[in-house]
Amino acid sequence: MDATTVNLHKTHDHHEESFIRKYVFSVDHKVIGIQYGITALIFLFFGFTLMMIMRWQLAYPGEPIPFISSWFSETSMPGGIMLPEFYNSLGAMHGTIMVFLGVVPLAVGAFGNYLVPIQIGAPDMAFPKLNMASYWVYFIGGIVMLVGFFVPGGAANSGWTAYPPLSNIATTGQTVWLFGMVFLITSSLLGSVNIIVTIIQLRAEGLSFMRLPFFVWGQLVTSFLLLLAFPPLEAAGVLQLMDRLAGTSFFMPSGLVVSGQVLEVSGGGSPLLWQHLFWFLAHPEVYVLILPAMGIIAEIIANNTRKPLWGYKSIVYSAIFLGFMSFIVWAHHMYITGMGTTINSFFQTTTMIISIPSIIILTSLMISLWGGSIRFNTPMLFALAFLPMFGIGGLTGLPLGLSASDIPLHDTYYVIGHFHYIVAPGTIFALFAGIYYWYPKVTGRAMNEFLGKIHFWFSLIFINGIFFPMFIVGLAGVSRRLYDGGASYAHAQDILYLNELMSVSAWLLGLAQIPFIINFFMSMFNGKKTEANHWQATTLEWAATPSPPVPHANFIEIPKVYRGPYEYSVPGHSTDFTPQNQA
C-alpha cells in the first residue's frame, strides 16, 4: 500500500461528530451506503405500490378502486374510476421509480458504496465529499420526481421512455420529470467516477485486478457504463426541456397536428433523435442493473458451495466484453422505426453476440454448484432462484433481438414479461440475496432464517404468477400501456382472464414482502448477534474487518492480500476457507 493510502487511514481516525454530520451529511462511505439503501428500498416500495394500483385497473377495468380511490383527486378518479391519463402517469412513474430511483441506487449506490472499499482494503471512497454529494443529488432528484404527482395535470404520463412528440406536448408533470432525471443522472455520474477511482487507486497491497472479488468487477464495469452512457441522456433531457420551455424543436417535426390543428413550431426536429439518445443509455442500463446483481450472486454461490467460482477469469473477461458490447446494440429497440434492413442486420448481429458473455457468466455460476457442499440458507435460495429466472429473461429476449420476430412482438406484453424477468425475479432477487447476506456485516446481527424462507418461497411463486402469463398475453397480440388491459381488443377476449390472475399474484406478492419488512427491522434489535466472519468467507470485508466495520477507517490494521478471493476447500488446510489476508 502506498503512502497516500496510509495517510488516508490516519486522516480518517475516529473523532467526535455531531448527529447531523454523522448520520445526515456524512462522508463515511458506510453511512452513505446505508442512506442509499434505505432511500432506495422506500422508493421501490412506492413504485411497487403504483404497480398494484395499475393492476386493479387491468383486472377490473372501469370499476372503482376500493380503499384508495378517495386519496386521489376527482380529476384522476371521478367516482373512484381511473382515467386513462392517470393510468399512463402511474405507468410512467412506476418504470422511472423502479429503475432510476430504486434498483440502480440500491445496486450501485448502496451495495457499491458500502462494500467496494472494504472488499478492496480501502479506508473509504477516493472522494468522500463527492460521495456525500452524489447521495443528496439523488435524494433531491427523487423528491422532484414525486412533486410531479402534485402539479396541475399530474405526473409525467408519456411512459418511462418519454418519447417525443407526445412528451413535448404533455402536461407540466413531464417538465418536472425531466428536471428530476437531470438530478438523478448527475448523481450517478458523481458516484461512478468515485467507484472507478477508488477501485483503481486504493486497492490493498497484493490485491491485483485478478484477485478482486467478482462483485468488485461488476461494480467497476457498471460504473464505466454509467459514466459513458448517461451523458447522452442528460443532454437529451436538457434538449427536451428546451423544446418544452424555450420553444426550440430538437424533437418536434414540422406539420405536427394536435387536436385537429397544426402545431406552431419552428420544425425540423426529429422524434427518432430522442430514441437514439435514450436507448444509447437504456440498453447499457440493463447491464447496469444486471452486472451488480451477478456480482452479488457470485459471492453468495462461492461462499455457500464452499468451493471457488468455476472459470473466474472467464466471467471477468465476459463482464468486460458485456460492457463494451452494450454500447452497440441500442437500436434493436428501434426495428419498427424503419431504419432499413442493413442497419437491422448489424444490430441483430451485435444483439446475438452480446448474449454470449451473459451465457458464459450464467453457465459458470451454474457449474460452480456442481460437487459443492451447498448450504441452503436464505441468501443462497435467492441466488439459486436468480439463475433460472435470469435464464428465462435472457432466452425470451432472443426473439426480440431479431427484427422479423420483434416487429409483431414490439410493444406487446411479451416485452414486459421479458424485461421484468431480467429485473424483478432476476436483479431484485439478487438484491434481496445481498441484503440477507451482508446484513450481519452492516448490523452485527443476522436476519431470521424462518422469516427469510417464507419471504423467498412466496415471492418466487407469486412473481412468476405475475410475469409468466405476460408471454401468453403478448403472443396473443395484446399491446402494453392499454389502460383496459386489452378488453377493447376482439382478439384478446380469450386471454383476459389472465389479467385477473396477474393482478391477484401482484397483490399477494405485496403481502409476501411483509415478512421481509418485519425481519429487516426486528433483526436490528433482536437478531442473533454474529461473529465478524459470520459466513466463514474469504474476502476482505469478512476476513479483515469487525462487524460493523470501524467508522471512518474500516480496518483496525491495514490489510495485505496474499491470494485470490475464493480460496475455499483447499486441500491440506485445516479449515474449508482461507481468507485473502491470511499469509
Side-chain angles (χ1 to χ4, degrees), residues 167-338:
S167 56
N168 272 27
I169 60 174
T171 56
T172 308
Q174 183 66 26
T175 303
V176 175
W177 186 91
L178 290 164
F179 276 115
M181 284 301 297
V182 169
F183 278 105
L184 296 176
I185 293 168
T186 302
S187 166
S188 290
L189 294 176
L190 296 176
S192 58
V193 167
N194 217 346
I195 288 176
I196 291 169
V197 176
T198 300
I199 294 172
I200 292 175
Q201 294 289 344
L202 297 185
R203 285 171 289 121
E205 183 181 352
L207 188 59
S208 64
F209 278 104
M210 281 302 158
R211 287 180 173 177
L212 289 174
F214 185 64
F215 174 84
V216 177
W217 273 110
Q219 293 287 330
L220 181 62
V221 176
T222 296
S223 297
F224 272 108
L225 297 185
L226 289 169
L227 187 63
L228 297 173
F230 253 141
L233 183 62
E234 186 156 24
V238 172
L239 295 180
Q240 192 176 119
L241 277 171
M242 296 292 286
D243 277 9
R244 291 181 57 83
L245 302 177
T248 60
S249 57
F250 292 104
F251 307 120
M252 292 292 281
S254 302
L256 190 68
V257 177
V258 178
S259 300
Q261 296 184 343
V262 178
L263 202 64
E264 293 294 332
V265 293
S266 55
S270 170
L272 289 183
L273 174 60
W274 170 270
Q275 289 196 34
H276 282 291
L277 293 170
F278 180 87
W279 288 115
F280 189 78
L281 163 274
H283 201 85
E285 181 77 8
V286 173
Y287 300 102
V288 168
L289 303 175
I290 204 64
L291 279 168
M294 288 175 167
I296 293 169
I297 298 303
E299 301 300 306
I300 293 170
I301 285 179
N303 180 262
N304 285 297
T305 56
R306 314 309 291 167
K307 53 182 292 212
L309 280 181
W310 189 88
Y312 168 81
K313 287 188 177 181
S314 297
I315 62 175
V316 168
Y317 294 137
S318 294
I320 296 169
F321 184 63
L322 199 68
F324 170 75
M325 287 298 296
S326 70
F327 287 100
I328 50 176
V329 296
W330 80 88
H332 67 211
H333 296 272
M334 299 172 58
Y335 290 141
I336 208 165
T337 60

Side-chain angles (χ1 to χ4, degrees), residues 377-399:
N377 48 45
T378 304
M380 190 60 170
L381 290 175
F382 275 104
L384 290 173
F386 168 89
L387 301 176
M389 297 297 99
F390 177 74
I392 292 172
L395 285 172
T396 54
L398 293 178

Side-chain angles (χ1 to χ4, degrees), residues 330-382:
W330 80 88
H332 67 211
H333 296 272
M334 299 172 58
Y335 290 141
I336 208 165
T337 60
M339 296 181 297
T341 54
T342 304
I343 294 296
N344 282 1
S345 297
F346 172 80
F347 284 103
Q348 285 179 138
T349 304
T350 57
T351 301
M352 293 302 110
I353 291 172
I354 202 173
S355 67
I356 296 171
S358 299
I359 292 168
I360 292 172
I361 295 172
L362 195 64
T363 303
S364 295
L365 294 175
M366 295 181 73
I367 294 175
S368 296
L369 301 173
W370 182 262
S373 180
I374 300 175
R375 305 186 299 196
F376 291 99
N377 48 45
T378 304
M380 190 60 170
L381 290 175
F382 275 104

Side-chain angles (χ1 to χ4, degrees), residues 45 60 192 196 199 203 310 417 455-456 466 487 539 552 578:
F45 180 77
Y60 311 111
S192 58
I196 291 169
I199 294 172
R203 285 171 289 121
W310 189 88
H455 174 221
F456 165 74
I466 302 170
T539 45
H552 290 286
T578 309

Side-chain angles (χ1 to χ4, degrees), residues 509-573:
L509 179 64
L511 292 177
Q513 306 316 301
I514 293 174
F516 169 75
I517 296 170
I518 293 171
N519 198 357
F520 187 86
F521 290 105
M522 182 184 72
S523 298
M524 288 183 188
F525 308 102
N526 299 317
K528 180 183 176 182
K529 290 187 177 180
T530 64
E531 299 175 353
N533 195 348
H534 176 64
W535 302 108
Q536 296 185 312
T538 57
T539 45
L540 288 180
E541 84 273 23
W542 296 106
T545 64
S547 297
V550 179
H552 290 286
N554 294 337
F555 303 94
I556 296 173
E557 295 181 4
I558 300 172
K560 186 176 180 180
V561 172
Y562 297 93
R563 56 184 47 80
Y566 307 116
E567 295 282 329
Y568 290 104
S569 303
V570 177
H573 285 239

Side-chain angles (χ1 to χ4, degrees), residues 61-180:
E63 295 186 22
I65 300 181
F67 308 121
I68 65 168
S69 57
S70 59
W71 299 356
F72 299 97
S73 68
E74 282 297 302
T75 57
S76 58
M77 282 192 179
I81 297 173
M82 188 182 299
L83 293 177
E85 295 81 2
F86 185 57
Y87 176 85
N88 286 340
S89 287
L90 293 180
M93 296 305 292
H94 163 73
T96 304
I97 289 169
M98 296 299 275
V99 173
F100 296 109
L101 290 171
V103 176
V104 174
L106 186 56
V108 182
F111 283 100
N113 253 309
Y114 197 98
L115 293 170
V116 165
I118 55 177
Q119 279 204 335
I120 66 172
D124 206 319
M125 296 292 267
F127 308 114
K129 290 182 179 178
L130 199 69
N131 205 17
M132 177 186 73
S134 74
Y135 169 74
W136 282 105
V137 172
Y138 154 68
F139 182 81
I140 292 169
I143 297 302
V144 169
M145 280 285 183
L146 297 187
V147 166
F149 282 102
F150 304 99
V151 299
N157 57 12
S158 303
W160 78 282
T161 56
Y163 278 5
L166 178 63
S167 56
N168 272 27
I169 60 174
T171 56
T172 308
Q174 183 66 26
T175 303
V176 175
W177 186 91
L178 290 164
F179 276 115

